[in-house]
Amino acid sequence: MAGDASGRVEARVPAVIEHRRGRSGRLRRRRLTIALVLAVVQGFLVLLGVLPWWGVLLLAALGLALYVGVGRESSSGDLRDTTWILAVSQLVVVLVPVLAVLVSALAVAALLLLAAVALVAVLRDRR
């Protein structure tokens, strides 16, 4: 900090060094979108039975292991972002069958509730 004749104190802030943003900057900005698009495509393939469930679990474990073991500490931005995309997309795909079962269960519950209401309405009709 340096002062002047009027007694004001100035703080000197060191210059900020900006890192170069090459291809990895573009990849980093779009990595969530890329991961979600991959997850949607693979999710449909899982629901259609093209990809087996055990294969999805294996890919998710492999993707997470690659990110934690190699990508997270890598000095290469591209490698770090690529392993992040792989891990996130595979982990989202693991959730697709779980969400499908949950939505199916909610649909069955709604149908059962509707049937119960209809049954009560029919039984109360005394004509």
Side-chain angles (χ1 to χ4, degrees):
M1 290 196 204
D4 62 8
S6 66
R8 292 184 306 189
V9 176
E10 271 182 40
R12 295 191 183 194
V13 180
V16 176
I17 300 173
E18 294 198 25
H19 295 284
R20 288 182 19 197
R21 284 192 173 218
R23 291 182 324 197
S24 64
R26 287 191 299 259
L27 183 61
R28 184 168 188 81
R29 286 191 304 271
R30 292 184 177 91
R31 69 183 186 169
L32 182 59
T33 303
I34 294 168
L36 292 178
V37 167
L38 286 172
V40 167
V41 170
Q42 287 181 334
F44 279 124
L45 293 175
V46 168
L47 291 176
L48 294 174
V50 176
L51 289 177
W53 173 244
W54 60 267
V56 169
L57 288 175
L58 186 64
L59 283 174
L62 178 66
L64 184 61
L66 275 173
Y67 175 69
V68 171
V70 177
R72 189 170 56 169
E73 299 298 324
S74 175
S75 61
S76 168
D78 287 340
L79 179 62
R80 187 173 42 253
D81 291 336
T82 301
T83 56
W84 186 91
I85 289 168
L86 177 66
V88 169
S89 66
Q90 296 310 308
L91 291 170
V92 170
V93 173
V94 167
L95 296 177
V96 168
V98 173
L99 291 174
V101 168
L102 181 64
V103 169
S104 298
L106 289 174
V108 168
L111 286 174
L112 290 174
L113 182 63
L114 184 62
V117 169
L119 180 62
V120 168
V122 170
L123 291 175
R124 296 191 92 202
D125 187 24
R126 297 184 184 217
R127 287 190 210 180

